[in-house]
Amino acid sequence: MIELREATRSQAAEIASLIMMAMTDDCCLYFCGDGYGLEDFHKMMTSLVQREDSQYSYRNTLVAMDGGEVVGIAVSYDGGRLHELRQAFIASAKAYIGKDHSGIDDETQAGELYLDSVAVLPEYRRQGIARQLIKVTKERATAMGLPCVGLLVDRGNPSGEALYASMGFRYANDSMWGGHPMKHLIL
Protein backbone atom coordinates (compact mmCIF):
# COMPACT_ATOMS: atom_id res chain seq x y z
CA MET A 1 0.00 0.00 0.00
CA ILE A 2 1.31 3.44 -0.96
CA GLU A 3 1.68 5.95 1.86
CA LEU A 4 2.25 9.69 1.43
CA ARG A 5 4.40 11.44 4.01
CA GLU A 6 6.80 14.31 4.54
CA ALA A 7 10.26 13.62 3.14
CA THR A 8 13.36 13.22 5.27
CA ARG A 9 16.90 14.42 4.60
CA SER A 10 18.08 10.79 4.33
CA GLN A 11 15.93 10.34 1.18
CA ALA A 12 17.80 13.09 -0.68
CA ALA A 13 19.46 10.93 -3.36
CA GLU A 14 16.19 9.17 -4.24
CA ILE A 15 14.31 12.48 -4.32
CA ALA A 16 17.03 14.03 -6.51
CA SER A 17 16.69 11.16 -9.01
CA LEU A 18 12.93 11.66 -9.22
CA ILE A 19 13.29 15.44 -9.62
CA MET A 20 15.68 14.78 -12.51
CA MET A 21 13.17 12.33 -14.00
CA ALA A 22 10.54 15.08 -13.89
CA MET A 23 12.97 17.55 -15.49
CA THR A 24 14.18 15.08 -18.19
CA ASP A 25 17.82 14.37 -19.03
CA ASP A 26 17.81 16.98 -21.83
CA CYS A 27 16.71 19.68 -19.43
CA CYS A 28 19.27 18.67 -16.78
CA LEU A 29 22.05 18.72 -19.38
CA TYR A 30 20.84 22.13 -20.61
CA PHE A 31 21.68 23.52 -17.18
CA CYS A 32 25.17 21.96 -17.06
CA GLY A 33 28.33 23.76 -18.08
CA ASP A 34 30.83 22.29 -20.57
CA GLY A 35 32.36 19.05 -19.35
CA TYR A 36 29.64 18.36 -16.77
CA GLY A 37 27.00 15.67 -16.99
CA LEU A 38 24.07 13.95 -15.30
CA GLU A 39 26.17 12.51 -12.48
CA ASP A 40 27.36 16.03 -11.57
CA PHE A 41 23.79 17.31 -11.80
CA HIS A 42 22.59 14.50 -9.50
CA LYS A 43 25.27 15.36 -6.91
CA MET A 44 24.13 18.99 -7.02
CA MET A 45 20.45 18.09 -6.73
CA THR A 46 21.13 15.70 -3.83
CA SER A 47 22.93 18.48 -1.96
CA LEU A 48 20.04 20.88 -2.65
CA VAL A 49 17.46 18.37 -1.37
CA GLN A 50 19.51 17.96 1.83
CA ARG A 51 19.38 21.71 2.53
CA GLU A 52 16.58 23.52 4.31
CA ASP A 53 16.96 26.79 2.36
CA SER A 54 16.56 25.42 -1.18
CA GLN A 55 13.54 25.28 -3.43
CA TYR A 56 14.29 21.54 -3.77
CA SER A 57 14.62 20.98 -0.01
CA TYR A 58 13.31 17.79 1.54
CA ARG A 59 11.20 20.18 3.66
CA ASN A 60 9.28 21.12 0.48
CA THR A 61 8.81 17.49 -0.56
CA LEU A 62 6.07 14.91 -0.16
CA VAL A 63 7.11 11.33 -0.82
CA ALA A 64 5.00 8.38 -1.88
CA MET A 65 6.34 5.31 -0.12
CA ASP A 66 5.95 1.62 -0.89
CA GLY A 67 7.35 0.15 2.30
CA GLY A 68 10.81 1.66 2.60
CA GLU A 69 11.09 2.72 -1.05
CA VAL A 70 10.45 6.23 -2.37
CA VAL A 71 8.28 5.64 -5.45
CA GLY A 72 7.02 9.18 -6.09
CA ILE A 73 7.60 12.80 -5.11
CA ALA A 74 5.94 16.19 -5.20
CA VAL A 75 8.15 19.21 -4.54
CA SER A 76 6.28 22.47 -3.94
CA TYR A 77 6.94 25.86 -2.37
CA ASP A 78 5.43 29.32 -2.04
CA GLY A 79 6.07 31.01 -5.40
CA GLY A 80 6.58 34.33 -3.61
CA ARG A 81 9.76 32.87 -2.04
CA LEU A 82 11.35 31.83 -5.36
CA HIS A 83 14.20 34.36 -5.38
CA GLU A 84 15.11 33.60 -1.76
CA LEU A 85 14.99 29.82 -2.26
CA ARG A 86 16.78 29.93 -5.62
CA GLN A 87 19.98 31.37 -4.13
CA ALA A 88 21.05 27.86 -3.08
CA PHE A 89 20.58 26.61 -6.67
CA ILE A 90 22.59 29.50 -8.11
CA ALA A 91 25.51 28.93 -5.70
CA SER A 92 25.42 25.15 -6.16
CA ALA A 93 25.29 25.37 -9.96
CA LYS A 94 28.56 27.30 -9.98
CA ALA A 95 30.19 24.70 -7.71
CA TYR A 96 28.76 21.44 -9.08
CA ILE A 97 27.94 22.02 -12.76
CA GLY A 98 30.18 24.93 -13.69
CA LYS A 99 27.50 27.38 -14.77
CA ASP A 100 26.22 30.76 -13.59
CA HIS A 101 22.43 30.72 -13.51
CA SER A 102 21.95 34.03 -11.71
CA GLY A 103 19.95 35.34 -14.69
CA ILE A 104 17.57 32.37 -14.93
CA ASP A 105 13.94 33.15 -15.76
CA ASP A 106 11.31 32.90 -13.04
CA GLU A 107 9.10 29.85 -13.35
CA THR A 108 6.64 30.91 -10.67
CA GLN A 109 5.24 33.97 -8.94
CA ALA A 110 3.71 35.16 -5.70
CA GLY A 111 0.18 33.94 -5.04
CA GLU A 112 0.65 30.28 -5.91
CA LEU A 113 2.03 27.16 -4.36
CA TYR A 114 4.41 26.19 -7.12
CA LEU A 115 4.49 22.46 -7.89
CA ASP A 116 8.09 22.37 -9.03
CA SER A 117 8.37 18.63 -9.59
CA VAL A 118 6.05 15.67 -9.55
CA ALA A 119 7.34 12.25 -10.57
CA VAL A 120 6.52 8.58 -10.06
CA LEU A 121 8.80 5.64 -10.83
CA PRO A 122 7.78 4.03 -14.15
CA GLU A 123 6.75 0.73 -12.57
CA TYR A 124 4.34 2.58 -10.22
CA ARG A 125 2.65 4.78 -12.82
CA ARG A 126 -1.05 4.55 -13.68
CA GLN A 127 -1.92 3.68 -10.08
CA GLY A 128 -3.16 7.16 -9.06
CA ILE A 129 -0.02 8.10 -7.12
CA ALA A 130 0.61 11.35 -9.00
CA ARG A 131 -3.05 12.30 -8.49
CA GLN A 132 -2.72 11.67 -4.74
CA LEU A 133 0.45 13.77 -4.57
CA ILE A 134 -1.21 16.64 -6.46
CA LYS A 135 -4.35 16.44 -4.29
CA VAL A 136 -2.28 16.74 -1.11
CA THR A 137 -0.29 19.61 -2.69
CA LYS A 138 -3.59 21.43 -3.33
CA GLU A 139 -4.54 20.86 0.31
CA ARG A 140 -1.18 22.38 1.34
CA ALA A 141 -1.88 25.47 -0.77
CA THR A 142 -5.22 25.93 0.95
CA ALA A 143 -3.66 25.46 4.40
CA MET A 144 -0.99 28.06 3.51
CA GLY A 145 -3.63 30.55 2.36
CA LEU A 146 -2.43 30.42 -1.24
CA PRO A 147 -5.28 30.60 -3.79
CA CYS A 148 -3.88 28.13 -6.32
CA VAL A 149 -1.28 25.56 -7.29
CA GLY A 150 0.80 26.44 -10.35
CA LEU A 151 3.13 24.31 -12.45
CA LEU A 152 4.93 24.25 -15.77
CA VAL A 153 4.36 21.42 -18.21
CA ASP A 154 6.57 20.86 -21.23
CA ARG A 155 4.68 21.36 -24.48
CA GLY A 156 6.25 18.03 -25.53
CA ASN A 157 4.54 16.19 -22.65
CA PRO A 158 0.90 15.70 -23.73
CA SER A 159 0.32 12.84 -21.25
CA GLY A 160 1.39 15.06 -18.34
CA GLU A 161 -0.76 17.88 -19.63
CA ALA A 162 -3.74 15.52 -19.95
CA LEU A 163 -3.29 14.38 -16.34
CA TYR A 164 -3.21 17.98 -15.10
CA ALA A 165 -6.25 18.96 -17.20
CA SER A 166 -8.20 15.97 -15.85
CA MET A 167 -7.54 17.28 -12.33
CA GLY A 168 -8.84 20.75 -13.14
CA PHE A 169 -5.65 22.62 -14.03
CA ARG A 170 -6.22 25.35 -16.59
CA TYR A 171 -3.93 27.28 -18.90
CA ALA A 172 -2.48 30.52 -17.49
CA ASN A 173 0.26 31.49 -19.99
CA ASP A 174 3.24 30.33 -22.04
CA SER A 175 6.75 30.16 -20.65
CA MET A 176 10.26 29.00 -21.50
CA TRP A 177 12.24 26.98 -18.98
CA GLY A 178 15.22 24.70 -19.28
CA GLY A 179 15.43 25.41 -22.99
CA HIS A 180 11.92 24.08 -23.59
CA PRO A 181 8.63 25.80 -24.44
CA MET A 182 6.28 25.29 -21.50
CA LYS A 183 2.71 25.98 -20.44
CA HIS A 184 2.01 27.51 -17.04
CA LEU A 185 -1.08 25.80 -15.61
CA ILE A 186 -2.99 26.63 -12.43
CA LEU A 187 -5.45 24.78 -10.22
Side-chain angles (χ1 to χ4, degrees):
M1 180 166 157
I2 303 300
E3 180 185 349
L4 300 188
R5 61 175 91 134
E6 300 293 326
T8 64
R9 181 178 274 128
S10 65
Q11 296 164 327
E14 294 165 285
I15 294 166
S17 293
L18 283 159
I19 292 170
M20 290 175 64
M21 183 183 300
M23 292 175 73
T24 75
D25 288 352
D26 284 347
C27 187
C28 295
L29 290 170
Y30 170 85
F31 284 109
C32 290
D34 290 339
Y36 294 89
L38 294 175
E39 186 176 314
D40 303 303
F41 197 89
H42 187 265
K43 286 178 187 171
M44 176 188 76
M45 292 306 296
T46 299
S47 76
L48 289 170
V49 173
Q50 291 171 335
R51 295 176 67 142
E52 294 189 6
D53 63 344
S54 158
Q55 66 202 90
Y56 300 108
S57 173
Y58 71 95
R59 296 187 68 150
N60 298 331
T61 305
L62 287 170
V63 290
M65 302 293 297
D66 184 7
E69 183 181 9
V70 176
V71 300
I73 54 110
V75 179
S76 62
Y77 54 86
D78 180 342
R81 295 186 60 212
L82 174 65
H83 292 167
E84 166 196 343
L85 294 172
R86 183 181 277 161
Q87 293 308 308
F89 175 81
I90 292 168
S92 294
K94 289 176 185 173
Y96 285 91
I97 56 174
K99 204 154 179 190
D100 181 1
H101 286 293
S102 55
I104 192 171
D105 291 334
D106 290 353
E107 68 254 38
T108 185
Q109 61 215 1
E112 70 181 12
L113 183 62
Y114 182 63
L115 182 53
D116 186 288
S117 305
V118 62
V120 175
L121 292 176
E123 60 270 28
Y124 285 87
R125 292 182 185 159
R126 306 222 181 280
Q127 296 179 30
I129 298 169
R131 286 181 180 278
Q132 291 176 336
L133 288 163
I134 293 167
K135 181 178 178 262
V136 173
T137 299
K138 178 61 175 161
E139 292 167 2
R140 275 185 162 183
T142 301
M144 294 171 70
L146 294 169
C148 68
V149 173
L151 59 81
L152 293 183
V153 62
D154 193 311
R155 286 187 168 275
N157 182 3
S159 62
E161 189 172 348
L163 167 68
Y164 302 134
S166 76
M167 295 191 70
F169 279 88
R170 62 191 187 284
Y171 173 83
N173 60 353
D174 290 323
S175 184
M176 282 294 288
W177 191 83
H180 293 259
M182 308 288 246
K183 289 183 181 179
H184 180 200
L185 307 179
I186 57 171
L187 173 66

